[in-house]
């Protein structure tokens, strides 16, 4: 599922964040959605944050009985990258007959 | 299991201090997030993942691990090259040289880091640095093996003029020790410099040099795996074989210069020299009976292929590869410069736009 120059696992994270781009997400939520372990997920989030594709922050309020959680959301550049990844994946999943038909139509028109 | 998870979470809390300041909040993020993970196996693996994150991100752990591995490899090489029980007067100098080489290889990355910075932030630099250092360690191991095998003929040698012979061996060993320490230290330093962040060598230059040099070395080794040209019956085959054999390395250096610039030729020469030495001398040590007897007892009536003759032949054959460590980088530099200038001549000239006139594009 690698695309856009990103590894398969990074693409998973981008797509997961892109599915609800305006929402702040928790690490465990992302791990459940992508199937990645914490030792894999967090290095990816670190690299994406270093590249300015992901914004990270702590919860504003100190909840009772548990520590504050770290939150993640795509930046504007990250949203563009996630959309590019989703577009590539959609193109890769296009049925062969559809592609063949489009090629055939293009050839007839030439 | 919850107790184990709690203990590992405590370890994770302590290990946060190993991280650079800008990474510590991420380790805390993993640890705090564990409270949201269901207790039991899931939370245990979550915390283990956090420990793995710290191991990946804590450069000091990586550097200490590499140094420990290097010291362990060095201890093994010193043990291999110690040559106990030998009366060879060259052995003390060889032991000192081995210890100094091992120390230099272990300490050099730490000493160089404040000057040239850490490894460059690209995969090519990391691969070339790791592979290059492994090649240097392997070369030292091969040289220790060569000393044990070829040098053991002098373990209890009785010369006609013993005192003069011992003096010659001692002085030769000291000079050899200095040369080997400087050569190996020079190669290690060159690998660190070429792949350092502050020296800003382009990844394409490093990749071209290492790649073409290694490729040329593999071809040359395949054609001459035991240090001497193969003996072919057919004259045409011999001619073709000789041409390819002598062209392999220069062609590799030219290509490195063509695609990576003049310095890539230098890197290619060094990579080829190192890899060719390791492969060929290593093969000779594994198959000494297959090495050409370039030294044999001149008396035709004695049996040939004795251990002494094999030791002499392997030792003498290996000399040209040791010389290659000094000469091939320079040859690579020259051919790299030629390749680079050929590439520059083939590039189209920049667009020329004389004032008020038409735009012209030409070639140099």
């Amino acid at each position: 599922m690698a695309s856009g120059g990103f590894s398969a696992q990074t693409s998973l994270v981008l797509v997961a964040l892109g599915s609800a781009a305006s929402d702040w997400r928790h690490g465990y939520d992302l791990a459940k959605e992508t199937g990645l372990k914490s030792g894999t997920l967090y290095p990816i989030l670190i690299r994406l944050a270093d590249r300015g594709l992901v914004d990270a922050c702590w919860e504003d309020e100190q909840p009772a009985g548990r520590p504050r959680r770290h939150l993640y959301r795509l930046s504007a550049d990250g949203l563009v990258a996630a959309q590019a990844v989703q577009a590539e994946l959609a193109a890769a999943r296009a049925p062969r007959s559809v592609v063949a038909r489009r090629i055939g139509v293009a050839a007839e028109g030439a | 299991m919850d107790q184990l998870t709690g203990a590992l979470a405590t370890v994770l809390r302590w290990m946060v201090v190993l991280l650079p300041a800008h990474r510590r909040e991420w380790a805390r993020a993993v640890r705090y997030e564990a409270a949201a993970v269901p207790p039991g196996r899931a939370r245990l693996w979550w915390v283990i993942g956090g420990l793995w994150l710290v191991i990946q991100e804590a450069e000091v752990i990586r550097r200490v691990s590499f140094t420990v591995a290097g010291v362990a490899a060095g201890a093994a090489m010193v043990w291999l090259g110690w040559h106990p029980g030998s009366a060879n007067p060259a052995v003390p100098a060889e032991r000192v040289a081995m210890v100094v080489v091992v120390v230099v290889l272990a300490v050099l990355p730490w000493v160089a880091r404040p000057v040239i910075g850490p490894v460059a932030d690209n995969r090519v630099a990391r691969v070339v640095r790791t592979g290059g250092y492994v090649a240097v360690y392997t070369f030292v191991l091969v040289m220790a093996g060569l000393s044990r095998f070829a040098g053991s003929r002098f373990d209890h040698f009785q010369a006609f003029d013993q005192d003069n012979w011992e003096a010659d061996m001692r002085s030769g060993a000291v000079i050899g020790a200095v040369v080997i320490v400087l050569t190996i230290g020079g190669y290690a330093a060159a690998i660190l410099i070429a792949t350092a962040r502050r020296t800003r060598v382009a990844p394409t230059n490093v990749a071209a040099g290492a790649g073409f040099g290694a490729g040329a070395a593999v071809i040359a080794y395949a054609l001459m795996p035991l240090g001497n040209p193969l003996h072919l019956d057919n004259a045409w085959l011999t001619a073709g074989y000789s041409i390819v054999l002598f062209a392999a390395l220069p062609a590799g250096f030219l290509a490195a210069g063509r695609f990576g610039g003049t310095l890539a030729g230098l890197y290619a020469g060094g990579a080829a020299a190192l890899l060719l030495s390791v492969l060929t001398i290593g093969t000779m040590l594994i198959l000494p009976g297959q090495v050409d007897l370039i030294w044999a007892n001149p008396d035709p009536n004695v049996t040939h292929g004795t251990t002494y003759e094999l030791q002499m032949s392997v030792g003498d054959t290996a000399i040209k590869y040791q010389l290659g460590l000094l000469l091939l980088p320079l040859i690579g530099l020259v051919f790299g410069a030629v390749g680079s200038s050929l590439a520059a001549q083939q590039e189209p000239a920049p667009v020329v736009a004389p004032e008020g006139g038409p735009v012209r594009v030409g070639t140099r």
Side-chain angles (χ1 to χ4, degrees):
Chain A
M1 194 187 151
S3 49
F6 298 109
S7 68
Q9 293 163 329
T10 304
S11 299
L12 275 176
V13 174
L14 284 170
V15 168
L17 286 167
S19 64
S22 58
D23 296 342
W24 288 98
R25 308 286 301 276
H26 299 117
Y28 184 54
D29 293 340
L30 290 172
K32 280 193 298 184
E33 188 169 333
T34 59
L36 298 174
K37 301 272 193 294
S38 58
T40 305
L41 172 65
Y42 277 81
I44 290 173
L45 289 171
I46 289 172
R47 303 286 170 266
L48 291 174
D50 286 348
R51 292 170 66 171
L53 300 179
V54 162
D55 295 327
C57 68
W58 294 96
E59 281 180 324
D60 288 331
E61 295 171 6
Q62 174 63 58
R66 67 167 177 82
R68 286 188 300 164
R69 297 170 78 176
H70 214 212
L71 305 169
Y72 314 100
R73 186 174 71 178
L74 287 174
S75 65
D77 289 342
L79 188 57
V80 170
Q83 287 168 343
V85 165
Q86 282 168 324
E88 277 196 45
L89 293 173
R93 280 196 295 267
R96 191 183 286 272
S97 58
V98 170
V99 173
R101 255 186 274 129
R102 287 181 184 165
I103 291 172
V105 166
E108 284 172 12
Chain B
M1 188 171 296
D2 287 343
Q3 283 183 333
L4 177 60
T5 305
L8 291 177
T10 302
V11 172
L12 179 57
R13 180 159 51 92
W14 293 337
M15 285 178 72
V16 165
V17 300
L18 296 174
L19 292 172
H22 63 289
R23 289 285 188 252
R24 288 179 188 168
E25 68 165 359
W26 290 94
R28 290 192 191 101
V30 178
R31 187 163 67 86
Y32 294 165
E33 191 70 11
V37 179
R41 193 181 294 268
R43 188 178 290 176
L44 173 63
W45 280 109
W46 185 270
V47 173
I48 290 173
L51 292 169
W52 179 237
L53 169 72
V54 172
I55 289 170
Q56 289 180 81
E57 296 295 320
E59 285 190 27
V60 65
I61 292 179
R62 207 163 39 240
R63 283 157 54 197
V64 167
S65 303
F66 280 135
T67 301
V68 167
V71 169
M77 289 186 291
V78 168
W79 173 82
L80 183 66
W82 198 253
H83 218 150
S86 172
N88 185 345
V91 163
E94 290 172 359
R95 287 173 181 158
V96 171
M98 181 61 80
V99 170
V100 171
V101 160
V102 162
V103 169
V104 165
L105 289 178
V107 165
L108 201 54
W110 292 88
V111 169
R113 188 181 173 92
V115 179
I116 59 176
V119 66
D121 193 17
N122 61 80
R123 186 171 292 186
V124 169
R126 287 193 203 97
V127 168
V128 169
R129 178 174 282 206
T130 304
Y133 240 71
V134 168
V136 169
Y137 269 100
T138 310
F139 173 75
V140 176
L141 185 69
V142 162
M143 291 306 295
L146 181 68
S147 171
R148 283 292 280 263
F149 177 72
S152 59
R153 67 189 186 276
F154 297 127
D155 279 350
H156 304 287
F157 191 79
Q158 291 298 319
F160 181 73
D161 184 349
Q162 188 71 10
D163 289 341
N164 270 335
W165 176 79
E166 287 185 359
D168 283 346
M169 289 291 283
R170 226 172 270 123
S171 59
V174 169
I175 294 170
V178 171
V179 169
I180 203 76
V181 167
L182 290 177
T183 302
I184 293 175
Y187 268 79
I191 291 166
L192 293 173
I193 290 169
T195 55
R197 198 169 293 183
R198 284 195 203 137
T199 48
R200 299 181 187 277
V201 177
T204 46
N205 293 4
V206 176
F212 283 112
V218 168
I219 292 172
Y221 165 72
L223 294 171
M224 206 167 74
L226 288 163
N228 288 299
L230 301 178
H231 305 293
L232 303 172
D233 293 330
N234 185 292
W236 287 106
L237 206 55
T238 301
Y241 167 81
S242 301
I243 289 170
V244 175
L245 178 63
F246 285 104
L249 291 177
F253 304 157
L254 264 177
R258 163 76 177 80
F259 291 101
T262 303
L263 271 185
L266 175 71
Y267 304 149
L274 198 54
L275 190 57
L276 203 48
S277 300
V278 167
L279 291 174
T280 311
I281 298 176
T283 305
M284 289 195 295
L285 291 175
I286 294 170
L287 300 170
Q290 305 299 318
V291 177
D292 279 356
L293 282 182
I294 62 172
W295 189 94
N297 193 320
D299 185 347
N301 297 315
V302 302
T303 306
H304 293 294
T306 62
T307 302
Y308 187 89
E309 289 176 333
L310 292 176
Q311 289 166 338
M312 284 287 285
S313 298
V314 168
D316 287 356
T317 304
I319 288 173
K320 60 175 171 283
Y321 292 91
Q322 294 164 300
L323 285 174
L325 289 171
L326 301 174
L327 296 176
L328 283 181
L330 300 175
I331 296 172
L333 183 66
V334 170
F335 277 90
V338 172
S340 178
S341 66
L342 287 175
Q345 286 171 12
Q346 288 171 357
E347 282 174 6
V351 171
V352 175
E355 194 174 324
V359 172
R360 289 184 295 124
V361 177
T363 55
R364 290 196 186 119

